[in-house]
Amino acid sequence: MASNFAARANQALMQSSPKWRLVVWLLLMLSASLWTLQLWQNGARVQSDILAMLPHLQQDKLTERALNQVEATLADQVYIALVAKDETTAIAAAKLLMQKLEADLVARGKQGALTDIRSADMQLGEALGQFYFPHRFKLLTEPQAKALANQDIGSLIEAATAQLYNAFSYANSNLLAQDPLLLFPANLLTLAPSSKVRASQGILLANQGDNVAAVVMAKGRESAFNPNAQLAQMTALTQGLDAVKQSYPDITVLKAGALFHALAATQTAKSEISILGLASLLGVIALVWLAFRSVMPLLLAIVTISSGLLLAVTFTLSVFGELHLLTLVFGTSLIGIAIDYSFHFYCERLSDSERSAKATVAYIFPTVTLAFITSALAYVGIGLAPFPGMQQVAIFCAAGLLGAYLTLILAYPLLAGSRLPAGSRPLALAGTYLANLTKLSNKLTTPLGMGIFALVILIWCLGGVTKLTVDDDIRHLQQSPASVTEPENQLRQLLSGGTDNQFLLVRAPSEEALLQQLERVSPMLDTAITNQELGNYVSLNRYLPSHQKQDTAYHLQGKIYQTQIDTVLTSLGLDENLKPELQAAYLAAKTDYITPAAFFTLGAGKQLAPLWLAPNEANSPAGNGQLNDDGASAEHGADQGADYGADYGAIVLLGGIQQIDALKARFAHDGSVQLIDKVADISAVMGHYRLLTLKLLALALGIALLLFSLNFGFKKAAVVVAVPALAALLTLATLGLTGSPLSLFHALALILVFGIGIDYSLFFASAQNHGKAVMMAVFMSACSTLLAFGLLAFSQTQAIHYFGLTLSLGIGFTFLLSPLILTTTLALTTNQLLTTKKS
């Protein structure tokens, strides 16, 4: 059936005019060019966000919202620490930097790259005091609550008396008249998180050994992964830091934030695109020239590659609306694959110079078509991975192959009409190689030879595969250089460990239940800090006591204002006329509670608003992303009008995590508390898809066997499929022997080894009397592919390195094994003839 279809299609091609084919091809390329131009004008862009490569996790709505909010919290924030020998210099340098950044913001207006430039909030304590003081009867510290529960009013009176006679006391007559035991100031102090940082003159300070670091923070107006935004933000920062360096040359600068990781990734990707792509292109050009010694094959090779890249970009932008930089890095390998069709065409022309270009295209059409379909299916297999970036790679490369295939079918019959210069040396070399390989194959087909060959392969495969380890850690997707990570780690230490990507999601059916859950979780986190499992955490529990806790504090304070007020006033020497006012104020506060809705209207509350997840967006507090003095930032990032279910949720940010497994164990059996570790979750997804990809590879081999059986018969089809299968197995074994861990990127590369290896096998299986031409074409194809993927193995991005290394090994093994198909199929044919004669 497949052969009949190919024959009918081939007949239709032979009847069509080369001129009309070329017209169709030109119209197609022109349409693709115009459509791509239109897409760019309508907002299509190059994407450099590494996060865009990550798989989409299937989460419930509340968890998904929490992940979005934390990602928005940590994204686009820039942290600069100016380290000086003394506090005065550090403060002056920080003020100068803030002044320069604010001047740039004012000058550029809405075009300003960095906004929300800040350091310490000196008005924070005053604002919190004004908010909480009316609720002072609902607040007690743990020592205060314990004293009142034990009827130990005397200790509280002693503490208040000590404050009255302290020269640095915050006590004054107005405060004493409303809070005679001075309970409120101690409660206000508990709102300030324990931290290594302090504030002076509006600047956040931290000690670094004998030096002092002043910390300045800002937020990027646009995503740090937008190349244009990166340039604008770095320009503003560089200008500000240059001014600081001129005034204070001894200042040391520490930087942290997604901006610097994204910038490093962008620079690496651009560098690799230019270097690897250029090297691959030059290698292909050299191959074509050395083989054919003619300008026309060289020009058509460039046309083939260009048309493939054009359709690749067109299809990718049409489907995704953007083109990822890593797609372009992977896409440089397209050069080495798309050119294969040109190689096969010209090698056939070289072997039969009397045949016309149109007849040559018709001759190789069935095999090239089958090769294109299998390679495209291999890329479709890559597209099944949950990575948007890898799906882009699949679309990009499959469309690129389509462009090269159409160029061969439609443009070559007319454009490649000129004869090649006489030169049979490449074919002679290919013939010599095949002859030597045939001798080796004949030796291997003997019982002894087959036994030795099978034993060597078995030992190699068993020895390597048994040593294979797995590594699904997504952090290997992109590893920033030490020049980025080391300063960031130092700055995180200054900010008490900063905030990690892992966080707790606490959920409950009601607002009050959620606040009580947070109160239950906090002591467990305090214990984790004591056990050095955790550095710090940011929880709303510190600012929003539950109604239950407020009622408890209110009833305990009733012992002061309802039964002991006379003793308190007398002991402290206060006017007894204060008693009625104090008791009235106490009674009036009974139904007045601290509520999330009221707290989130404050400036400090808006900073923490994204940590509170109400059931519906309409009930959720809005706020702008800010960074508190503990190094934690927050930004409201929920989608407008979304329905997030009936549960309330609260995010507890974690910082300085030392023992993630111990933390997970603390909450493993608590259904209301979930430790969200996106890195681990995505890594688990990668492991799942690694196994799925290997299963897909096995399925693809089975489908290819059935498909080829229709065209070649079962025995020959089995030989054709056995070559890429054995190449994949040998590649895995070699990875095991070299200590390279197996990841999803290795598995995806093996899919391509299958797709490309099948091409080689098909050409040899269809070679008939043109073995030398096929050998030369496969040699050139393998060289170009090894150039492309071999260069990827030198990438600084580990995922690309794994991809390139696996493909290089796989294609190398396929090249060595595929010519054996020719000798094996000849042996099968001979046996069939002998069997026929005997019968």
Side-chain angles (χ1 to χ4, degrees):
M1 183 182 297
S3 59
N4 291 336
F5 174 78
R8 288 195 297 268
N10 201 2
Q11 185 179 4
L13 281 173
M14 286 298 292
Q15 293 173 354
S16 62
S17 168
K19 290 183 179 179
W20 281 111
R21 289 200 218 177
L22 182 62
V23 169
V24 171
W25 179 79
L26 289 173
L27 288 175
L28 179 64
M29 293 299 119
L30 179 61
S31 300
S33 301
L34 293 175
W35 178 244
T36 302
L37 182 62
Q38 180 72 17
L39 290 172
W40 282 117
Q41 291 176 342
N42 290 339
R45 63 195 178 104
V46 174
Q47 171 67 271
S48 65
D49 186 355
I50 300 302
L51 299 177
M53 291 282 288
L54 301 182
H56 299 300
L57 296 175
Q58 297 297 322
Q59 305 281 6
D60 63 82
K61 291 181 177 180
L62 189 64
T63 303
E64 184 178 355
R65 184 183 173 196
L67 281 166
N68 291 338
Q69 302 236 119
V70 170
E71 285 179 7
T73 295
L74 301 178
D76 307 329
Q77 297 285 343
V78 175
Y79 311 96
I80 304 294
L82 303 172
V83 184
K85 293 181 179 180
D86 58 87
E87 184 173 308
T88 303
T89 304
I91 292 174
K95 287 183 176 180
L96 177 59
L97 177 60
M98 293 174 69
Q99 177 186 343
K100 293 296 181 182
L101 294 179
E102 287 167 355
D104 178 80
L105 180 60
V106 171
R108 296 177 181 270
K110 292 184 179 181
Q111 302 300 319
L114 295 170
T115 64
D116 193 22
I117 300 152
R118 64 203 184 279
S119 189
D121 187 354
M122 299 304 291
Q123 286 75 44
L124 178 63
E126 183 179 350
L128 289 175
Q130 292 176 354
F131 173 75
Y132 284 104
F133 188 74
H135 304 285
R136 61 192 178 280
F137 300 109
K138 299 288 183 71
L139 297 172
L140 284 175
T141 65
E142 287 189 17
Q144 291 169 351
K146 185 176 181 180
L148 289 173
N150 294 332
Q151 306 291 333
D152 186 11
I153 196 75
S155 63
L156 298 179
I157 293 175
E158 289 178 7
T161 303
Q163 284 298 321
L164 287 173
Y165 292 102
N166 188 337
F168 300 99
S169 173
Y170 36 70
N172 56 56
S173 58
N174 185 46
L175 179 60
L176 284 167
Q178 300 178 76
D179 182 20
L181 285 177
L182 300 176
L183 301 179
F184 178 71
N187 283 276
L188 191 61
L189 287 174
T190 62
L191 297 177
S194 58
S195 176
K196 299 176 183 178
V197 297
R198 63 186 188 281
S200 177
Q201 301 181 42
I203 301 298
L204 197 65
L205 300 173
N207 292 330
Q208 189 189 49
D210 296 331
N211 298 325
V212 178
V215 181
V216 174
M217 295 154 285
K219 181 175 177 61
R221 189 184 294 276
E222 297 182 64
S223 171
F225 296 100
N226 180 320
N228 293 330
Q230 289 174 17
L231 179 61
Q233 291 174 28
M234 282 305 300
T235 299
L237 278 174
T238 301
Q239 291 174 351
L241 291 172
D242 285 346
V244 170
K245 278 289 188 180
Q246 288 177 3
S247 300
Y248 307 97
D250 294 332
I251 286 285
T252 300
V253 179
L254 302 178
K255 305 176 198 174
L259 170 64
F260 308 106
H261 293 275
L263 187 66
T266 301
Q267 290 173 342
T268 299
K270 286 182 177 179
S271 173
E272 290 180 355
I273 289 169
S274 58
I275 295 174
L276 301 183
L278 180 62
S280 180
L281 184 60
L282 291 176
V284 167
I285 290 172
L287 272 174
V288 173
W289 178 257
L290 290 173
F292 307 118
R293 303 287 182 175
S294 174
V295 174
M296 184 52 70
L298 194 57
L299 292 177
L300 277 182
I302 294 174
V303 168
T304 304
I305 293 170
S306 300
S307 60
L309 291 175
L310 174 60
L311 283 193
V313 172
T314 302
F315 273 73
T316 306
L317 291 180
S318 299
V319 174
F320 298 98
E322 63 183 19
L323 190 61
H324 203 287
L325 275 175
L326 287 185
T327 300
L328 292 175
V329 175
F330 278 108
T332 58
S333 62
L334 179 63
I335 296 171
I337 305 174
I339 200 64
D340 288 0
Y341 303 142
S342 183
F343 289 158
H344 284 289
F345 172 85
Y346 274 108
C347 287
E348 289 296 337
R349 288 294 308 276
L350 202 63
S351 68
D352 188 352
S353 59
E354 299 300 321
R355 184 187 293 157
S356 67
K358 181 179 178 181
T360 304
V361 169
Y363 176 77
I364 66 174
F365 173 78
T367 307
V368 168
T369 302
L370 197 56
F372 164 69
I373 292 171
T374 53
S375 295
L377 288 175
Y379 281 115
V380 169
I382 286 182
L384 295 174
F387 290 81
M390 295 310 296
Q391 291 165 359
Q392 277 197 26
V393 170
I395 295 292
F396 187 92
C397 292
L401 283 181
L402 176 62
Y405 173 77
L406 292 177
T407 301
L408 172 69
I409 302 302
L410 300 177
Y412 273 52
L414 187 62
L415 296 181
S418 60
R419 293 182 180 274
L420 291 173
S424 58
R425 180 170 174 76
L427 285 175
L429 291 174
T432 303
Y433 179 81
L434 266 180
N436 292 329
L437 199 63
T438 301
K439 293 179 181 178
L440 176 63
S441 178
N442 291 334
K443 293 179 180 179
L444 291 177
T445 54
T446 64
L448 178 61
M450 290 182 64
I452 294 174
F453 180 74
L455 183 62
V456 171
I457 295 296
L458 182 63
I459 293 174
W460 189 345
C461 291
L462 285 177
V465 172
T466 53
K467 290 185 177 181
L468 265 180
T469 58
V470 296
D471 182 5
D472 299 309
D473 195 333
I474 63 163
R475 283 168 291 197
H476 293 159
L477 184 66
Q478 176 68 44
Q479 291 180 315
S480 297
S483 59
V484 174
T485 56
E486 289 179 3
E488 180 172 90
N489 290 335
Q490 292 180 48
L491 197 134
R492 285 172 64 87
Q493 291 302 315
L494 292 177
L495 295 174
S496 303
T499 303
D500 291 327
N501 291 317
Q502 297 90 349
F503 62 92
L504 291 182
L505 175 60
V506 184
R507 63 180 75 211
S510 67
E511 184 177 280
E512 172 63 12
L514 179 59
L515 293 174
Q516 291 182 25
Q517 290 280 31
L518 289 173
E519 290 169 354
R520 181 178 61 82
V521 167
S522 287
M524 299 172 70
L525 292 176
D526 291 334
T527 303
I529 292 175
T530 302
N531 294 341
Q532 297 183 339
E533 299 167 12
L534 182 68
N536 64 85
Y537 66 93
V538 179
S539 174
L540 289 171
N541 166 64
R542 189 187 301 275
Y543 306 94
L544 293 172
S546 65
H547 284 199
Q548 182 185 60
K549 186 174 182 180
Q550 291 181 62
D551 285 337
T552 300
Y554 183 80
H555 291 305
L556 287 173
Q557 290 203 46
K559 298 179 180 181
I560 300 172
Y561 296 104
Q562 291 183 325
T563 61
Q564 300 287 335
I565 187 62
D566 292 326
T567 303
V568 169
L569 295 175
T570 301
S571 301
L572 296 174
L574 299 177
D575 190 347
E576 293 183 359
N577 293 327
L578 294 175
K579 177 179 177 179
E581 295 180 10
L582 288 169
Q583 289 182 326
Y586 171 79
L587 293 173
K590 182 175 183 179
T591 58
D592 190 12
Y593 290 94
I594 300 167
T595 63
F599 174 72
F600 292 132
T601 61
L602 292 176
K606 288 179 180 178
Q607 296 178 20
L608 298 168
L611 303 184
W612 183 261
L613 307 174
N616 295 297
E617 176 64 16
N619 299 327
S620 180
N624 296 321
Q626 301 287 341
L627 185 88
N628 60 30
D629 289 353
D630 204 29
S633 62
E635 179 177 331
H636 189 53
D639 296 326
Q640 292 292 330
D643 179 12
Y644 295 105
D647 277 351
Y648 282 79
I651 296 167
V652 180
L653 298 176
L654 306 175
I657 296 175
Q658 300 296 325
Q659 301 178 45
I660 186 69
D661 292 335
L663 274 178
K664 287 181 179 179
R666 288 185 180 276
F667 304 103
H669 305 293
D670 192 337
S672 62
V673 183
Q674 181 182 2
L675 197 153
I676 306 295
D677 185 357
K678 189 174 182 180
V679 171
D681 292 342
I682 295 176
S683 297
V685 170
M686 287 184 66
H688 168 73
Y689 276 92
R690 171 178 47 78
L691 292 173
L692 180 60
T693 302
L694 293 175
K695 291 177 182 177
L696 282 174
L697 176 59
L699 179 62
L701 289 168
I703 293 173
L705 179 60
L706 292 175
L707 181 64
F708 298 156
S709 295
L710 299 176
N711 198 40
F712 300 121
F714 180 78
K715 289 184 178 180
K716 194 171 182 180
V719 175
V720 170
V721 173
V723 167
L726 185 56
L729 192 59
L730 289 171
T731 300
L732 288 173
T734 305
L735 291 173
L737 291 172
T738 57
S740 179
L742 185 63
S743 70
L744 175 60
F745 297 97
H746 293 93
L748 292 174
L750 287 175
I751 290 284
L752 277 190
V753 169
F754 159 74
I756 299 171
I758 282 290
D759 288 1
Y760 298 170
S761 299
L762 284 172
F763 279 108
F764 275 112
S766 307
Q768 298 178 2
N769 298 323
H770 297 275
K772 290 190 293 183
V774 172
M775 187 67 248
M776 178 181 170
V778 167
F779 171 76
M780 295 182 68
S781 298
C783 287
S784 63
T785 306
L786 286 171
L787 267 175
F789 293 119
L791 290 172
L792 287 184
F794 292 99
S795 172
Q796 296 179 36
T797 304
Q798 202 162 3
I800 299 177
H801 163 74
Y802 286 159
F803 195 85
L805 176 64
T806 306
L807 266 163
S808 298
L809 290 171
I811 296 304
F813 286 126
T814 304
F815 170 74
L816 293 174
L817 293 171
S818 57
L820 296 176
I821 291 177
L822 191 60
T823 56
T824 305
T825 52
L826 286 174
L828 289 173
T829 303
T830 302
N831 290 334
Q832 289 176 354
L833 289 174
L834 291 174
T835 303
T836 303
K837 286 182 178 180
K838 288 180 180 180
S839 61

